[in-house]
Amino acid sequence: MCGIVGAVAHRLVTPVLLEGLKRLEYRGYDSAGIAVLDSTNQLARARAKGKVRGLEEVMQTTPLNGRVGIAHTRWATHGVPSLENAHPHICRDTVAVVHNGIIENHETLRAEQKRKGHNFSSETDTEVIVHEIHDKMTDGGLDLLAAVQATVSILEGAYALGVISTEEPGRLVTARKGSPLVIGVGEREHFIASDIFALLGETQRFIFLEEGDVADMRADSITIYDEDGNKVERPISETKLAADSAEKGSYRHYMEKEIYEQPQAISNTLEGRIINEKVVDESFGPDASAAFDLVKRVQIVACGTSFHAGMVAKYWLESIANLPCDIEVASEYRYRPHIVSEGTLFVTISQSGETADTLAALKEAKNMGYAHTLAICNVPESSIVRESEWALMTRAGPEIGVASTKAFTTQLVALLLLVVALGRRNGLKAEKEAQITRQLINLPAEIEQVLELDQEIKQWAKCFGDKHHALYLGRGEQYPVAMEGALKLKEISYIHAEAYPAGELKHGPLALIDEEMPVVAVAPNNELLEKLKSNLQEVQARGGQLFVFADANAPLDAAPGVKILRVAETDEVVAPIVYTIPLQLLSYHAALIKGTDVDQPRNLAKSVTVE
Ligand code: AGP
């Protein structure tokens, strides 16, 4: 979580740091701060509780200027969101540090440092890092680089660090292990950031540090050392992403923009992956084709929205590909023993590719006897992609809104490609493959049609503005779609929402039904529709208010307490993708009515890089 940015240049870097923080704010917005070495080589620091705009206001009254600096936007883990806990942390006015990650042995280090006479000004785990570096420089006589190297060697946990010191102006030292960090390579100026989007306004050239790397950066040079202290070369990659690729344009919120980008994002995900109505095996990796022949089972691990995508994939794998599939949330998977059957493909799903639980589960899985690992991911340079044997990129483009939208639908598209590729080896007929691939190619146009329901959904959302709870119902593969709809509503509108497979209602949740509990149902015209209708009647009979998204041809009628919105007729296989769209719009409009911070809902962050 937390975003870090840093710069060392021959020009003043505060504008670069502030812009970087704004672009990283999706990673956390509990506080923000900047430290620079000023014209007299003293550390100057500004911090503010809350968002980056608060920091900007502080800096209007107390401007900071310097040619080397570090900055941070926080998602609180250790210690409440407060000014004292805001980074950068400073030791004895000589060393400043920004940190993303969690230091697990911070209590031991803190106790030792207190014995040595350090006073702590924050509750953070980070503060031990700055005191340790300081002591290794002053007592140990080490230079800044050696002090950082010595410090990270005793840290347990995850870190991405930016460090500067008054003792060595013109030097920025950075290190990473378990948390993301990139180096931006400029012309006689260099940068660090938690992701490349923070720096796209400055450079298109990036170095991705390996686990345990430490880099010694000056405006004119970068020297990288591996975990053992050996000098190493890391390649420079050039991105084609434009500086404005993560901007909002004319939309009110990133979430709105990202909802509307879904037709294009899905086209991008499909591009080159279907030829002559067949899924191209090589999309998954050069050697995937032969290996897929031997896959007998699939294990999926993911978190949050990505987990919901995996749940849909389980239905698809078992019904279309005839392959057994297990799915588990990563935070549970990683902490229990598993029996791995021969020929099991291990699949992680992650928008960011940095989710700590998913990454840790993948690392565990690599030693557990799985046949292969595949990542379905949106960020090519991410840790999960780098740890996986194969990766299928979702190509959704940057997703900035904390609530995942286009990442989810492109994950579903990518997963359906996988299902078809595996299914072909398990009895899926060529005609069925052709039918599914045609449905996929047609999807962007279908979604454009569903997006036209926006104004009607906006009207519906008015019924949710004063509610505290909502129920979401679906059956079969629409159950995870209902779960995703409920997650979206609670995440951005703070309305408590739960999803149930509709047949489960009578086993308990029916007791909750009254006119204060809106019930949202997804009702495509499939073989479970009649069953779903009975479940909906149970709600109606008890005075519940039903909001049903139904297929154009579904035999359902509006009635008192039953509102129906017709979603264009769609094919059954892709229906989970199509029905996701109105649920996203409903939560977006409900959040607008509630006046919440849609893109940065309270207590959350986009990329969950802590356990
Ligand atoms: C969804 O709206 C959330 N932002 C969250 O559940 C998210 O999907 C989850 O944290 C997993 O993230 P990932 O896809 O980047 O791994």
Side-chain angles (χ1 to χ4, degrees):
M1 322 285 271
C2 303
I4 67 175
V5 58
V8 54
H10 292 290
R11 60 174 165 138
L12 300 177
V13 296
T14 316
V16 177
L17 300 178
L18 266 179
E19 177 61 24
L21 283 187
K22 284 185 203 158
R23 289 169 175 248
L24 286 175
E25 204 167 28
Y26 72 90
R27 300 179 65 87
Y29 29 85
D30 289 334
S31 63
I34 288 189
V36 295
L37 287 174
D38 68 14
S39 55
T40 60
N41 284 332
Q42 302 301 304
L43 274 173
R45 174 174 69 174
R47 297 184 294 174
K49 189 171 173 242
K51 296 196 170 198
V52 177
R53 65 170 175 267
L55 178 67
E56 276 187 299
E57 281 163 22
V58 171
M59 290 177 64
Q60 269 158 16
T61 44
T62 351
L64 296 187
N65 283 312
R67 291 178 164 74
V68 55
I70 50 178
H72 187 272
T73 178
R74 180 167 186 250
W75 185 80
T77 56
H78 295 68
V80 294
S82 69
L83 196 61
E84 295 71 32
N85 289 332
H87 300 216
H89 292 289
I90 290 181
C91 181
R92 305 216 204 279
D93 291 329
T94 49
V95 183
V97 164
V98 286
H99 166 226
N100 169 32
I102 285 187
I103 304 306
E104 288 165 359
N105 57 338
H106 74 103
E107 280 172 357
T108 319
L109 293 171
R110 182 180 274 252
E112 277 169 29
Q113 292 171 357
K114 277 188 175 168
R115 270 197 298 278
K116 285 192 199 163
H118 282 291
N119 291 321
F120 279 76
S121 58
S122 78
E123 306 157 290
T124 65
D125 53 335
T126 302
E127 199 176 341
V128 299
I129 304 175
V130 73
H131 294 319
E132 202 63 39
I133 295 172
H134 169 272
D135 289 0
K136 289 193 168 15
M137 290 179 80
T138 49
D139 308 342
L142 300 180
D143 72 357
L144 182 62
L145 171 68
V148 172
Q149 285 173 314
T151 298
V152 295
S153 72
I154 60 164
L155 297 181
E156 288 166 21
Y159 56 81
L161 299 175
V163 191
I164 56 174
S165 168
T166 53
E167 301 303 297
E168 301 190 47
R171 199 174 197 184
L172 166 62
V173 177
T174 189
R176 80 161 282 268
K177 192 173 188 177
S179 295
L181 188 102
V182 295
I183 293 178
V185 181
E187 291 298 327
R188 302 194 63 216
E189 55 186 18
H190 297 121
F191 316 96
I192 59 167
S194 299
D195 73 27
I196 65 169
F197 298 108
L199 299 175
L200 284 179
E202 304 303 327
T203 183
Q204 279 9 77
R205 299 167 71 220
F206 295 97
I207 296 172
F208 297 94
L209 293 182
E210 303 271 318
E211 288 283 283
D213 281 356
V214 178
D216 182 14
M217 300 169 56
R218 298 170 190 270
D220 299 304
S221 67
I222 300 173
T223 314
I224 302 174
Y225 300 87
D226 68 12
E227 197 161 12
D228 300 322
N230 304 310
K231 218 186 236 192
V232 284
E233 292 293 321
R234 301 287 182 224
I236 298 181
S237 350
E238 197 140 341
T239 178
K240 292 194 175 64
L241 285 170
D244 64 358
S245 53
E247 281 169 18
K248 241 183 349 225
S250 56
Y251 290 95
R252 287 166 292 180
H253 297 98
Y254 280 109
M255 185 184 180
E256 186 186 29
K257 174 177 177 248
E258 288 156 8
I259 289 173
Y260 277 87
E261 279 174 343
Q262 290 178 104
Q264 186 59 51
I266 288 172
S267 294
N268 295 346
T269 303
L270 290 172
E271 195 184 321
R273 288 167 172 169
I274 294 174
I275 295 180
N276 294 333
E277 302 189 331
K278 271 188 83 175
V279 173
V280 178
D281 284 349
E282 287 67 28
S283 313
F284 302 88
D287 52 347
S289 192
F292 274 5
D293 291 346
L294 305 175
V295 170
K296 298 195 184 100
R297 192 177 189 97
V298 177
Q299 169 73 57
I300 299 177
V301 168
C303 302
T305 288
S306 299
F307 173 74
H308 297 154
M311 283 185 72
V312 176
K314 175 180 165 68
Y315 282 92
W316 281 337
L317 276 161
E318 295 188 346
S319 62
I320 300 171
N322 202 24
L323 276 178
C325 172
D326 297 304
I327 168 146
E328 192 162 359
V329 287
S331 53
E332 289 296 317
Y333 177 87
R334 61 185 286 199
Y335 289 119
R336 67 181 190 89
H338 296 276
I339 299 160
V340 178
S341 315
E342 200 197 321
T344 305
L345 172 66
F346 186 85
V347 178
T348 51
I349 309 170
S350 175
Q351 186 285 129
S352 61
E354 301 294 348
T355 300
D357 286 319
T358 312
L359 179 60
L362 168 62
K363 285 181 180 168
E364 291 271 315
K366 284 166 76 176
N367 302 316
M368 284 164 55
Y370 283 102
H372 301 278
T373 58
L374 166 70
I376 306 283
C377 190
N378 195 36
V379 181
E381 310 80 11
S382 62
S383 305
I384 287 176
V385 169
R386 282 184 281 143
E387 283 286 334
S388 299
E389 188 182 347
W390 304 317
L392 184 64
M393 303 317 304
T394 44
R395 300 182 190 151
E399 191 182 67
I400 307 294
V402 164
S404 198
T405 51
K406 61 178 180 172
F408 179 68
T409 47
T410 54
Q411 283 168 349
L412 289 176
V413 166
L415 286 161
L416 192 47
L417 293 174
L418 175 68
V419 168
V420 170
L422 291 174
R424 194 191 302 136
R425 280 124 173 131
N426 280 289
L428 181 72
K429 300 267 183 313
E431 310 85 79
K432 184 72 181 166
E433 176 166 3
Q435 190 193 344
I436 295 173
T437 53
R438 280 197 301 272
Q439 290 175 18
L440 277 168
I441 287 171
N442 205 24
L443 246 186
E446 272 190 56
I447 291 178
E448 292 286 5
Q449 268 183 287
V450 181
L451 287 168
E452 286 173 17
L453 297 175
D454 185 59
Q455 286 309 308
E456 288 168 83
I457 294 173
K458 188 176 168 184
Q459 294 306 316
W460 275 21
K462 289 181 183 160
C463 306
F464 288 71
D466 61 345
K467 299 290 184 290
H468 298 289
H469 308 276
L471 271 183
Y472 280 65
L473 304 177
R475 295 201 67 139
E477 61 272 36
Q478 295 294 344
Y479 167 48
V481 171
M483 290 173 79
E484 175 58 11
L487 176 65
K488 286 290 89 84
L489 190 75
K490 61 188 143 194
E491 202 175 13
I492 61 167
S493 73
Y494 314 151
I495 297 170
H496 167 232
E498 292 302 329
Y500 279 90
E504 241 339 77
L505 261 191
K506 55 189 174 294
H507 298 293
L510 207 52
L512 297 169
I513 300 297
D514 63 18
E515 58 286 354
E516 289 307 306
M517 172 75 89
V519 179
V520 180
V522 268
N525 198 5
N526 61 20
E527 60 187 17
L528 286 171
L529 183 65
E530 282 308 315
K531 303 277 176 207
L532 179 69
K533 270 172 74 176
S534 317
N535 306 139
L536 299 185
Q537 272 154 14
E538 291 158 13
V539 173
Q540 195 187 355
R542 284 151 183 91
Q545 303 296 307
L546 276 161
F547 298 82
V548 187
F549 293 103
D551 189 284
N553 297 322
L556 283 164
D557 297 313
V562 185
K563 293 187 192 303
I564 297 188
L565 245 179
R566 299 285 173 183
V567 177
E569 197 184 346
T570 186
D571 292 295
E572 192 177 342
V573 175
V574 295
I577 308 173
V578 173
Y579 278 78
T580 296
I581 313 293
L583 301 186
Q584 295 170 342
L585 288 169
L586 182 62
S587 60
Y588 176 69
H589 286 298
L592 287 186
I593 290 165
K594 299 267 300 194
T596 58
D597 191 339
V598 172
D599 285 332
Q600 295 174 343
R602 68 186 181 202
N603 306 339
L604 299 178
K606 182 73 183 162
S607 180
V608 189
T609 53
V610 294
E611 236 196 286

